[in-house]
Amino acid sequence: MPVNALDLPSETPIELFAMYDVRLQGSNPEWDAWCDDGEAHALFLLDAFSDADWDALFATLPARDAHWLQACAKILFQASDVKRADHMLTLLSRNADPDVACEARESLGYLHQCAPQARTDGA
């Protein structure tokens, strides 16, 4: 059964991460549809993440390509879970790919502008 972008699935919590993962794999910042709808849907999913979804997101980072990581970094600064977003963006800002690291640093700047309490000791 197709999932409406406005309805959260009622199945296992990890399903939100799986949907987020697929959404980012198909991201393209050059497409108006991605910028208009894709990012918003990915953020909607991210904001509904359970602890298990966040754990899956952290665990999958090493397996994702630069394109996926950049798309993730671009969305994270808007996440409602500021502490986890800050932690993830800090990790991504140290990525070996300069484009990923740059996108993560830019998002960290936005995150800290919007939520200065996001800074954590040692981050």
Side-chain angles (χ1 to χ4, degrees):
M1 170 153 87
V3 176
N4 182 335
L6 301 177
D7 295 329
L8 291 176
S10 60
E11 292 84 18
T12 61
I14 266 311
E15 243 180 79
L16 290 175
F17 169 73
M19 292 170 63
Y20 178 82
D21 187 30
V22 168
R23 176 64 67 174
L24 291 188
Q25 288 177 35
S27 68
N28 185 337
E30 302 299 319
W31 296 343
D32 287 341
W34 168 251
C35 294
D36 294 341
D37 300 323
E39 284 183 10
H41 186 244
L43 180 61
F44 174 78
L45 294 169
L46 185 68
D47 282 345
F49 270 19
S50 67
D51 290 342
D53 291 305
W54 278 102
D55 290 345
L57 179 57
F58 277 100
T60 198
L61 289 181
R64 295 299 173 251
D65 64 16
H67 173 83
W68 192 97
L69 295 173
Q70 281 181 269
C72 184
K74 187 172 185 171
I75 293 166
L76 277 167
F77 81 90
Q78 303 173 74
S80 59
D81 191 331
V82 174
K83 186 175 179 178
R84 284 182 172 141
D86 181 73
H87 182 70
M88 178 152 302
L89 286 168
T90 299
L91 291 174
L92 291 173
S93 73
R94 298 175 184 146
N95 193 279
D97 185 295
D99 294 330
V100 172
C102 182
E103 189 70 54
R105 282 190 220 102
E106 187 174 312
S107 286
L108 268 171
Y110 292 137
L111 179 71
H112 291 172
Q113 278 180 337
C114 298
Q117 73 279 9
R119 291 188 186 267
T120 57
D121 293 346

